Each structure stands twice: as structure tokens, then as C-alpha cells.
Amino acid sequence: MPLPYSDCILGNNIGEYKSDLVKIFYDHNLEYTQENCLIFCYKRYMAKICDCYDVTLKPETFGVKPCATLEEFLCHMDQFRYFFRNKTQLEECKKEC
């Protein structure tokens, strides 16, 4: 059940959620799933830390260049391990209903 009865996200009420990540999906007419949100959250995090994103992960990241150098790839690998051990991003990426 969607808001106000649970935290899950239903497609037709996606605009009601306060998360900036969820609003990006709504504003760009992208399909919201928790998995897509976590990937996008990771790519946003990587863009901030490594100044690039992993092109193998969808959806696309807006305004960020893909990782191309060895240094960027190594940064990506280090941050991947760190990011997915840290569970705080689950607060922003709610499960879909």
C-alpha cells in the first residue's frame, strides 16, 4: 500500500515523495524501481567522488562523463565496494509497491 500507509512507491504517486532521487525519475519520466534508484544513487555518488560514471549501469547519468581512464576505473572499483556495503542509500530509495 502506498503513502500514507507505507513507504513503498506506487507509479502514479511518485511525485508525492520527498527524495530528490525519486523526483529525478518522475521529472525525466523514467520507470521507478528500487533497483533503478539504487543504481542511479550509486552513479550520482560515483560522479561526485570519481568525476565519472559506469556506462554499463542504466539509467543514464545526466551531465557526467563516462569513466575512461585507468585511474577512473580504479576509483570506480573502490567506491563500488564501499557504496554497496553502506546501507544509508536505502532511505532514499524506497521499495516500489
Side-chain angles (χ1 to χ4, degrees), residues 69-83:
T69 68
L70 179 59
E71 183 180 337
E72 289 170 338
F73 178 74
L74 293 174
C75 179
H76 157 64
M77 295 307 294
D78 287 342
Q79 296 311 313
F80 183 86
R81 284 189 288 271
Y82 171 78
F83 182 85

Side-chain angles (χ1 to χ4, degrees), residues 41-76:
C41 185
Y42 168 67
K43 289 172 75 170
R44 185 178 71 169
Y45 169 80
M46 237 188 81
K48 187 187 329 180
I49 302 299
C50 301
D51 197 31
C52 64
Y53 74 95
D54 179 354
V55 295
T56 64
L57 299 174
K58 302 294 181 201
E60 289 300 320
T61 303
F62 307 104
V64 180
K65 68 181 173 83
C67 296
T69 68
L70 179 59
E71 183 180 337
E72 289 170 338
F73 178 74
L74 293 174
C75 179
H76 157 64

Side-chain angles (χ1 to χ4, degrees), residues 1-86:
M1 294 178 65
L3 285 175
Y5 307 104
S6 78
D7 283 343
C8 72
I9 294 177
L10 189 63
N12 63 354
N13 69 344
I14 194 171
E16 297 175 21
Y17 290 85
K18 306 227 184 309
S19 166
D20 289 339
L21 279 173
V22 174
K23 287 181 180 180
I24 288 170
F25 280 83
Y26 180 76
D27 291 346
H28 291 90
N29 200 27
L30 298 170
E31 177 188 8
Y32 180 87
T33 65
Q34 186 180 42
E35 180 181 355
N36 284 347
C37 183
L38 288 169
I39 290 169
F40 195 86
C41 185
Y42 168 67
K43 289 172 75 170
R44 185 178 71 169
Y45 169 80
M46 237 188 81
K48 187 187 329 180
I49 302 299
C50 301
D51 197 31
C52 64
Y53 74 95
D54 179 354
V55 295
T56 64
L57 299 174
K58 302 294 181 201
E60 289 300 320
T61 303
F62 307 104
V64 180
K65 68 181 173 83
C67 296
T69 68
L70 179 59
E71 183 180 337
E72 289 170 338
F73 178 74
L74 293 174
C75 179
H76 157 64
M77 295 307 294
D78 287 342
Q79 296 311 313
F80 183 86
R81 284 189 288 271
Y82 171 78
F83 182 85
F84 285 103
R85 272 188 247 142
N86 180 356

